[in-house]
Amino acid sequence: MDPQTLALRLISLPDEPAQHAFLAEHAALLDDQFAGALKAQADNLRHSDVQRSLHTARLLCTLPSYSGNPCHRALGLLAEANALSIGLGQYARAVGLYDEAVEVYRVQGRVVEQATAQIGKIYSLANLGRYDEVWATGEAVAQVLKAHARWLQLGGLMVNLAIVHGRQGDDVHALAMFEQAREYYLMTGTEGQQALPWIDHNRAIVLRNLGRFEDSIQASLASQQVFTDLGQQVEVARSRQNLALTHFVLGQHNEALALLTEARAIFLADGRERDALLVDLFTSDCLLQLRRFDDVLEKCRQVRALFTDLGTRFEVAQAILKEATAYAGLRRYTEAFASIREARGLFDAEKNPVWVAYADLEAAAVLQAQDRHDESLVLAQACAGTFHAHNLPVDRARAMLAAGRALVGRQQYARATELVSEALACGKSLRIPDLVYRCHHLAGTIAAAQGQAQAAMDAYDRAIGVVESLRGRIMVEYRAGFLEDKGALYEDIIDLCLDQGLCERGLQYAERAKSRALLDLLAYRLNLEIRPRAPADVPLIERLAALRSERDRLYRRWDTEAGLEIRGSAAPDDEAHQLGRDILDLERQITELWHTLLVRHADYACDAALWSVHTEPVQPHLGGDTVLIEYFTVHRQFVAFLVTRDRIEARRLPCGPDQIQDVVRLLQLNLQANVAQGPGARGDLADNAQRLLRQLHDLLVAPLADLLAPREHWLIVPHGPLHYLPFHAFHDGSAYLLERHTISYLPAASLLRFCTDARQATGERAVFAHSLRGRLSHVLAESAALGTLLGARTFVDDEATVDRLREVAPQCDILHVAAHGDFRPDNPLFSGLALADGWLTTLDIFSLHLNAGLVTLSACQTGESVIGGGDELFGLMRAFLYAGAASLVLSLWPVEDHATADLMTTFYRELAAGRSKAAALREAQLSLVQGSDPAREPADRARAHPYFWAPFFLVGHSGPLG
């Protein structure tokens, strides 16, 4: 039996006793060739099953008991050290094993083997930051190997030394050593050629750092193909990880995230927690661009913990620096500076000037955010010098751009222009879109500051083109985050448009500034459903189903009488507090898995057709008596665009978000006070509410009165904090706006066409009502009245289930849900409506297929949303519009169920009489407003307070049903 076959037979045996029996039986055959074959198996298993690799290595360590050759134990020690170091990142343990193997060879007088045993040790020493030992060991080993013409082993040594040079930021030297290693491998013929994929794998990293992106991609693809052919899935994962980072630099975020997700799954399947957490570290770069700062902090916390235990300060320092960037994004500058100092100290201890410069460049950015231009400039210029010395063109360009920003802060425009131009040339030549966009934006800022309006406009427009191409390459649910820090660019160009009287162009940019996630979902029919699209999705879908089931089970425990009290004013007990934490953790996992599924199938993010943003024309869809009012924030001041069928105008308003939020806070206090007050005490509250609503009117509507007054119907597109306002309840001193006009709303003007053209079912109508175990006492009466008015199928209490709603909803032209609602600002994906068998959440609604002309959510806070980047609204409204609703009636705050039941009855009665949806809702609300008539009952008069009627508003198509 040849040694290779003998080794394979041994490791295929089912357990350790059988293996030792096999060794005893074949003791006469256990020579050096067999020991070498067994070590080769252990090393090969390291790439696919690290635990089997360790077991095989430890079996090899026992071989001298049967063979009588102590050098066989040295081979086992080396195999075990390789598995611990390369496979599991346990570098300190690995160094000890390498040293044991070296000692065995020394005692046996095996000089060459004593040298080769130290090749793997170099990688472990570098990860432990013991660089002096690395270079001393490398030099000594190289001398021995050259003297004995061991070219194959010398190639391996050069690869390890090259990796260390790259780790210390010396990519030029690293690339030269990889080429030298290639020459040594080629000198050995076929055996050496088998090692070439590992060179390509590592060369890809330094090629990327040196700005040679196409060469880096080709090297990654070449190594990935070989590893795939060899069935070495772990090495395939490493190649994908490398490729992902190159895609990230080139602005191809979705491709990067998809590859990183695949790599992470492979590492975890093989028990490689260290490698999986390294993927999380690299994923953090993408998440920082998407401004998912809390996710970054959580991932980096885990990375820090593991790599601190492993004693590898370089990865710890990288994690800390990414934490600093996240803190800076959250404007937590004190924490950002503390993390930068800590990371910089570790990089300095690593003797890594490049990463010290990365830390300094982050410090320069934080200083710039605090208008400390002089300090920022000094740091940025020093960083540019370091990057230039190490031949890192992209990093040098970023440092030059940072210096340019500081010079603009000092009003030194000529020098700033030189730096920006040089950085822009680098960005264009190397195709780095993020760098190009930032350069164009700063160039526009310089031109605007010097009064060169057209040059500024052109530069801003070029920057916007790049931003929109980047946005198109991102999974749709991540686009809002990506836009969070891009608003200033759009504000700058809109400001210029207003100054030059280009109102229509300004409106187009205002619409382009929105994240457009919902618009893209509707326009391109993108699918957010939780369903398998490929066989590889099935395990993920099953995991999602299990997590959602467990979340629902825990939520039902939480949502008891005691649980509701816990979520109110009562102090939580330990059990309930832990239950709440468990639910939040499950929701985090569900959200992450859902996003993973969406990233995996975001083929549209590779489609160039989505790169150019086209705004939908609004005017053709407006009636002759309608005016659309789109608000937008420009440099902390509101602007209003007014659009009619034949005219577009714009006006700056005498207020900004801060001033409005002050009034909103007082209004919310007034509304909350109504819950505790009896009918007799609400008169003063109503007067106070009217004064606050008058202030809002004077700030947001009065300056537009001459253009608005002639129009019967107002279609309002809010912006920022204005999404939380009931414009229809604004008071002009003598009447609410509702008493003079019909008013409806849209999240974005470009949505008007989709709401107008939405497919609508005919005939079927359904009412779902759940009284929350009798606590919503008027819900059942409401459902009975509406069932009669609409001729609708009614599903009450135990019949009002999530499953039944999924079954019935697609056939309905009117869907009415009266239930308890819960708005979740911490995670709007789990905002929802309480039905008999659980919660209908935002995530569930994305999987509905509606053809409804009207969906009414007669519940608390169903119209509240979390406002994301680009003014994207995350909540039930967005989900129902995506699912196919042409219009929605929603609520802005907790509602009183008796008044709501009366309002809804009137609303549907008016709809049945042929009124438009906007007019019917107005009449229903007026029926409560006019309850202030002295002839009416005191309880009815009390309901004239806006708390009772104003929370409800209409979104979308405002015309008649049908």
Side-chain angles (χ1 to χ4, degrees):
M1 191 182 302
D2 66 87
Q4 181 73 18
T5 303
L6 195 65
L8 289 171
R9 285 275 305 276
L10 173 65
I11 64 175
S12 67
L13 293 172
D15 52 40
E16 196 169 334
Q19 290 173 329
H20 282 286
F22 182 88
L23 289 172
E25 181 182 350
H26 297 86
L29 302 176
L30 305 182
D31 56 11
D32 287 347
Q33 287 184 308
F34 169 76
L38 193 57
K39 181 178 183 295
Q41 289 300 320
D43 286 339
N44 189 55
L45 284 167
R46 188 181 71 237
H47 305 297
S48 58
D49 189 336
V50 71
Q51 294 304 320
R52 285 189 68 203
S53 174
L54 283 169
H55 176 77
T56 304
R58 288 161 184 161
L59 190 64
L60 181 53
C61 285
T62 69
L63 197 59
S65 301
Y66 305 97
S67 68
N69 188 338
C71 290
H72 294 170
R73 177 172 176 270
L75 289 175
L77 291 168
L78 291 175
E80 184 177 357
N82 289 339
L84 290 173
S85 174
I86 302 170
L88 298 176
Q90 297 180 16
Y91 305 113
R93 287 182 61 192
V95 167
L97 294 172
Y98 286 124
D99 286 342
E100 282 189 57
V102 168
E103 181 61 16
V104 170
Y105 286 129
R106 187 193 67 76
V107 170
Q108 297 299 316
R110 307 284 287 269
V111 176
V112 173
E113 287 81 357
Q114 184 180 345
T116 57
Q118 299 181 76
I119 294 174
K121 177 182 170 182
I122 286 172
Y123 178 71
S124 293
L125 289 172
N127 277 280
L128 294 171
R130 293 159 60 177
Y131 293 107
D132 290 341
E133 295 176 65
V134 166
W135 306 125
T137 301
E139 183 178 353
V141 169
Q143 289 178 0
V144 174
L145 296 178
K146 287 178 181 177
H148 292 80
R150 296 299 182 91
W151 309 122
L152 184 67
Q153 291 82 0
L154 193 56
L157 174 66
M158 292 299 106
V159 168
N160 279 2
L161 290 173
I163 291 171
V164 178
H165 278 297
R167 185 180 178 88
Q168 289 199 295
D170 191 354
D171 292 296
V172 173
H173 201 172
L175 186 60
M177 295 196 79
F178 281 131
E179 296 303 332
Q180 192 174 0
R182 181 185 293 275
E183 292 177 13
Y184 287 135
Y185 282 138
L186 291 175
M187 291 169 64
T188 66
T190 304
E191 190 176 8
Q193 289 179 347
Q194 294 175 357
L196 296 183
W198 276 271
I199 291 183
D200 282 336
H201 168 73
N202 287 291
R203 282 178 69 249
I205 300 170
V206 297
L207 288 168
R208 178 178 63 247
N209 293 341
L210 294 169
R212 294 170 56 180
F213 299 113
E214 190 55 40
D215 290 341
S216 177
I217 290 171
Q218 292 307 314
S220 289
L221 290 174
S223 64
Q224 181 177 314
Q225 184 59 57
V226 174
F227 293 141
T228 300
D229 294 342
L230 293 172
Q232 296 180 351
Q233 285 302 302
V234 170
E235 300 309 321
V236 170
R238 295 192 203 282
S239 293
R240 287 178 180 172
Q241 176 180 288
N242 278 349
L243 189 58
L245 298 181
T246 306
H247 280 307
F248 167 72
V249 175
L250 295 174
Q252 297 159 6
H253 295 92
N254 202 75
E255 291 95 322
L257 285 169
L259 287 168
L260 288 170
T261 300
E262 291 173 14
R264 187 177 190 274
I266 292 172
F267 291 139
L268 286 176
D270 195 40
R272 299 172 186 257
E273 183 186 6
R274 168 193 172 273
D275 290 295
L277 280 175
L278 272 179
V279 172
D280 285 344
L281 189 64
F282 300 138
T283 301
S284 293
D285 287 320
C286 292
L287 296 179
L288 286 171
Q289 289 290 316
L290 302 175
R291 299 183 67 79
R292 301 180 68 86
F293 300 126
D294 290 334
D295 290 345
V296 171
L297 292 173
E298 174 60 23
K299 288 182 184 297
C300 289
R301 182 190 63 77
Q302 296 178 33
V303 170
R304 285 185 68 169
L306 176 66
F307 284 93
T308 298
D309 290 343
L310 293 174
T312 56
R313 63 188 174 204
F314 180 66
E315 284 78 11
V316 172
Q318 286 183 308
I320 294 170
L321 187 56
K322 294 182 199 305
E323 286 178 0
T325 307
Y327 284 134
L330 294 168
R331 300 185 179 181
R332 293 160 59 176
Y333 298 128
T334 300
E335 292 160 287
F337 276 126
S339 293
I340 290 169
R341 284 192 296 271
E342 186 179 0
R344 192 186 194 281
L346 291 172
F347 289 133
D348 195 43
E350 285 276 306
K351 300 177 182 178
N352 192 323
V354 169
W355 277 88
V356 167
Y358 288 146
D360 285 343
L361 190 58
E362 183 60 37
V366 177
L367 290 167
Q368 181 65 27
Q370 296 179 307
D371 295 327
R372 295 162 65 179
H373 307 302
D374 294 346
E375 297 165 86
S376 179
L377 178 61
V378 170
L379 274 180
Q381 288 175 328
C383 293
T386 299
F387 295 138
H388 180 65
H390 287 79
N391 199 25
L392 301 173
V394 177
D395 296 318
R396 176 173 179 260
R398 294 191 192 284
M400 293 168 66
L401 182 60
R405 289 195 193 95
L407 287 166
V408 169
R410 297 172 61 173
Q411 299 183 351
Q412 294 177 257
Y413 300 123
R415 177 60 181 146
T417 299
E418 292 175 9
L419 292 178
V420 172
S421 298
E422 192 171 348
L424 179 60
C426 173
K428 285 182 174 179
S429 66
L430 296 177
R431 297 179 293 120
I432 312 297
D434 180 74
L435 179 59
V436 171
Y437 125 70
R438 295 182 189 280
C439 288
H440 281 315
H441 189 187
L442 189 56
T445 301
I446 294 169
Q450 295 178 304
Q452 301 167 4
Q454 190 56 52
M457 184 85 76
D458 292 342
Y460 290 149
D461 197 56
R462 285 191 288 269
I464 287 171
V466 179
V467 166
E468 291 174 354
S469 74
L470 283 169
R471 177 170 63 187
R473 300 299 295 262
I474 296 172
M475 187 269 285
V476 67
E477 286 297 279
Y478 284 156
R479 292 180 183 179
F482 171 75
L483 279 183
E484 278 185 13
D485 64 339
K486 313 297 187 298
L489 170 59
Y490 289 91
E491 291 178 30
D492 287 340
I493 199 167
I494 292 169
D495 203 17
L496 279 177
C497 289
L498 296 178
D499 286 344
Q500 297 181 58
L502 302 173
C503 299
E504 183 173 359
R505 190 172 180 184
L507 176 61
Q508 290 175 350
Y509 283 119
E511 280 291 296
R512 290 170 69 176
K514 298 180 184 295
S515 91
R516 302 178 63 86
L518 177 57
L519 288 165
D520 289 341
L521 289 169
L522 294 172
Y524 297 97
R525 300 184 185 278
L526 305 183
N527 197 325
L528 300 187
E529 287 185 65
I530 298 177
R531 63 175 179 84
R533 297 173 178 82
D537 293 341
V538 173
L540 191 150
I541 296 291
E542 290 175 346
R543 174 67 177 152
L544 262 173
L547 288 171
R548 295 183 73 193
S549 176
E550 176 63 8
R551 184 259 180 194
D552 290 345
R553 185 186 70 80
L554 293 183
Y555 212 95
R556 280 193 293 272
R557 281 184 56 198
W558 201 37
D559 194 22
T560 61
E561 289 281 355
L564 290 171
E565 290 172 6
I566 287 166
R567 287 186 284 157
S569 59
D573 58 33
D574 290 342
E575 182 180 358
H577 189 62
Q578 181 60 49
L579 192 60
R581 285 202 304 266
D582 291 344
I583 290 169
L584 291 176
D585 182 61
L586 286 167
E587 291 175 348
R588 179 190 59 77
Q589 292 181 61
I590 291 167
T591 303
E592 190 171 300
L593 280 175
W594 183 55
H595 286 166
T596 297
L597 188 67
L598 296 181
V599 165
R600 181 179 292 179
H601 295 289
D603 297 338
Y604 53 82
C606 301
D607 186 352
L610 292 185
W611 291 9
S612 298
V613 174
H614 302 287
T615 57
E616 293 289 339
V618 174
Q619 289 174 292
H621 302 284
L622 296 177
D625 64 344
T626 298
V627 57
L628 181 144
I629 314 156
E630 175 154 350
Y631 292 90
F632 197 82
T633 310
V634 175
H635 301 152
R636 308 305 299 169
Q637 182 183 20
F638 282 119
V639 170
F641 294 94
L642 296 99
V643 185
T644 61
R645 182 180 286 177
D646 53 10
R647 189 176 181 184
I648 298 176
E649 295 193 33
R651 287 189 182 174
R652 299 181 190 268
L653 298 177
C655 63
D658 294 339
Q659 190 174 356
I660 293 298
Q661 284 173 334
D662 289 340
V663 182
V664 169
R665 278 191 290 269
L666 294 173
L667 181 60
Q668 288 172 339
L669 290 173
N670 180 286
L671 295 170
Q672 291 165 9
N674 272 275
V675 179
Q677 298 294 331
R682 289 194 175 118
D684 291 341
L685 287 173
D687 292 341
N688 176 258
Q690 284 189 1
R691 283 193 295 272
L692 294 170
L693 292 164
R694 172 71 182 272
Q695 289 182 46
L696 293 171
H697 176 275
D698 291 347
L699 292 169
L700 296 169
V701 175
L704 315 172
D706 57 317
L707 299 172
L708 296 176
R711 306 290 174 173
E712 167 63 25
H713 179 58
W714 295 4
L715 179 52
I716 294 173
V717 181
H719 192 255
L722 304 187
H723 285 289
Y724 301 130
L725 295 181
F727 279 78
H728 52 281
F730 286 4
H731 203 275
D732 64 9
S734 59
Y736 295 108
L737 288 183
L738 182 79
E739 298 179 77
R740 305 187 190 280
H741 303 274
T742 59
I743 296 175
S744 62
Y745 299 79
L746 275 176
S750 296
L751 280 169
L752 182 58
R753 177 177 75 83
F754 296 101
C755 294
T756 302
D757 296 345
R759 298 187 303 274
Q760 297 185 31
T762 56
E764 187 80 18
R765 296 171 177 186
V767 175
F768 284 76
H770 191 262
S771 65
L772 200 66
R773 297 177 292 279
R775 276 174 284 174
L776 303 178
S777 57
H778 293 275
V779 158
L780 302 184
E782 176 183 336
S783 66
L786 298 187
T788 301
L789 266 174
L790 299 172
R793 297 174 66 187
T794 58
F795 303 91
V796 176
D797 275 350
D798 290 346
E799 295 179 341
T801 65
V802 175
D803 286 342
R804 182 59 61 85
L805 188 143
R806 287 196 189 103
E807 174 191 338
V808 170
Q811 290 78 47
C812 293
D813 66 339
I814 295 179
L815 176 65
H816 183 97
V817 183
H820 170 61
D822 187 18
F823 172 59
R824 289 283 306 279
D826 61 309
N827 191 340
L829 203 59
F830 295 95
S831 293
L833 301 162
L835 296 178
D837 56 344
W839 286 79
L840 179 73
T841 66
T842 303
L843 188 57
D844 296 307
I845 296 161
F846 279 127
S847 296
L848 293 179
H849 297 278
L850 301 179
N851 299 285
L854 173 65
V855 173
T856 300
L857 304 182
S858 179
C860 299
Q861 301 171 281
T862 54
E864 285 202 63
S865 301
V866 171
I867 302 172
D871 211 47
E872 190 74 34
L873 302 181
F874 291 95
L876 295 174
M877 177 201 304
R878 176 173 177 265
F880 271 106
L881 289 173
Y882 163 77
S887 61
L888 299 164
V889 172
L890 305 160
S891 62
L892 280 170
W893 56 76
V895 299
E896 195 273 331
D897 66 323
H898 188 188
T900 297
D902 289 348
L903 184 148
M904 291 298 167
T905 301
T906 306
F907 170 56
Y908 284 105
R909 185 182 299 119
E910 296 294 325
L911 270 181
R915 286 185 178 273
S916 69
K917 296 171 223 176
L921 182 58
R922 177 192 180 209
E923 288 300 318
Q925 291 173 316
L926 285 175
S927 70
L928 296 183
V929 173
Q930 292 163 359
S932 58
D933 187 328
R936 304 188 69 166
E937 294 296 323
D940 289 336
R941 293 201 302 273
R943 294 194 303 181
H945 189 291
Y947 167 76
F948 294 94
W949 55 266
F952 290 103
F953 64 106
L954 177 72
V955 175
H957 179 253
S958 60
L961 284 169

